Amino acid sequence: MKDKLQDDIDLLRAELSKIDNTAGLEGHIKALNAAIDQLQKNADLDQRREVNEQLNEVVTNFEIDHPIIHGLLRNMMKTLGDIGI
């Protein structure tokens, strides 16, 4: 399951790098990258739950303008839920 999460993270970072115009999204992208970094640091369960909450907040900001990123975030959050986070 952790391999799936890492695959989702890699896909998400690749899609984020493809965004041409980040105007208005800088804060959301920064928060998203910080949350992903925290997940990859083998944070404890409470920290991972906090990250999951951060991801929930960021997800809606990508829904309309960046549907691929939105879908990847939803997949990643489902994977987190499947592993108990």
Side-chain angles (χ1 to χ4, degrees), residues 2 14-15 17-18 21-22 24 32-33 36 38 41 47 54 56 66 68 74 76 85:
K2 288 187 179 186
E15 285 300 318
S17 71
K18 292 179 185 178
N21 183 3
T22 60
L32 181 55
N33 279 315
I36 291 169
Q38 189 66 28
K41 287 182 184 177
Q47 290 170 319
Q54 290 172 336
N56 273 322
H66 301 285
I68 292 172
R74 287 286 175 204
M76 193 167 70
I85 297 174

Side-chain angles (χ1 to χ4, degrees), residues 10-27:
D10 293 342
L11 286 170
L12 180 59
R13 287 197 193 259
E15 285 300 318
L16 286 171
S17 71
K18 292 179 185 178
I19 298 175
D20 292 330
N21 183 3
T22 60
L25 293 175
E26 296 92 347

